Amino acid sequence: GCYMLISTGITHKQKNVSICNKLLDTKSRDVCYLVIVASMQDNMQDLSVCGQIKGLGDKNACYSSVAVKKKNRTICKSLVDESYQDHCYWIFAINTQNITMCATLKNSDSCYSNIVVGYVKDPKICDRIKDQNYREHCYDVAIGIAKI
């Protein structure tokens, strides 16, 4: 509630984990930790803050954020659950426009498509997509016919 809004505003400025520790609600505390990690400079991001997050989804978001900001995909290995590791690698590949890495992922079509939609309007990337619907939409976005 109100304390959460105030605490995230304060932690964003002070980057003080101790304020998050005072929150009783687990979800609020997790979000507070995420705010701290997101507000840290790239070279100052601390994985120990991610380790304090209880919710698997929020923990995944934290590790993914740090991996992208530090340009270090091995951080994704810190996640215990394989599906969260895969998701971390997927986010990393998209945000770093790493087409080679997309090829190694289970959801490679989505990875390629998201790179074209969000970053590089290159129809050659769409050639790699196996699913016809994904590929056609990708081409449409790449050449500017479709809206994102």
Side-chain angles (χ1 to χ4, degrees):
C2 182
Y3 185 69
M4 178 61 193
L5 292 173
I6 293 168
S7 68
T8 55
I10 292 169
T11 56
H12 182 70
K13 291 177 185 155
Q14 296 178 343
K15 299 167 185 63
N16 187 343
V17 177
S18 66
I19 294 170
C20 298
N21 295 337
K22 293 177 182 175
L23 294 169
L24 299 177
D25 177 61
T26 304
K27 178 66 177 167
S28 298
R29 197 169 39 249
D30 286 355
V31 170
C32 186
Y33 292 138
L34 280 171
V35 168
I36 288 176
V37 170
S39 67
M40 290 177 172
Q41 293 178 355
D42 298 355
N43 60 341
M44 298 299 291
Q45 287 198 324
D46 185 357
L47 284 175
S48 68
V49 177
C50 295
Q52 294 180 53
I53 296 174
K54 302 292 181 221
L56 289 178
D58 290 332
K59 186 175 286 219
N60 175 55
C62 188
Y63 280 102
S64 299
S65 171
V66 174
V68 168
K69 285 192 174 190
K70 289 191 173 207
K71 295 178 177 42
N72 181 355
R73 70 180 178 195
T74 59
I75 290 171
C76 295
K77 287 182 183 177
S78 302
L79 291 159
V80 178
D81 187 286
E82 188 178 331
S83 67
Y84 283 110
Q85 280 183 9
D86 291 346
H87 189 256
C88 182
Y89 289 128
W90 181 79
I91 288 174
F92 183 88
I94 292 167
N95 283 282
T96 58
Q97 297 98 58
N98 188 331
I99 295 163
T100 307
M101 190 172 177
C102 284
T104 67
L105 302 174
K106 293 175 188 167
N107 50 355
S108 59
D109 285 357
S110 173
C111 186
Y112 296 130
S113 180
N114 276 284
I115 289 175
V116 171
V117 167
Y119 299 97
V120 184
K121 308 291 187 251
D122 182 354
K124 290 178 188 166
I125 296 171
C126 303
D127 294 341
R128 299 169 179 257
I129 298 175
K130 296 174 192 97
D131 180 89
Q132 184 177 349
N133 290 331
Y134 256 123
R135 189 172 51 250
E136 287 176 8
H137 180 69
C138 183
Y139 287 134
D140 291 346
V141 170
I143 60 175
I145 294 173
K147 295 192 193 285
I148 300 167

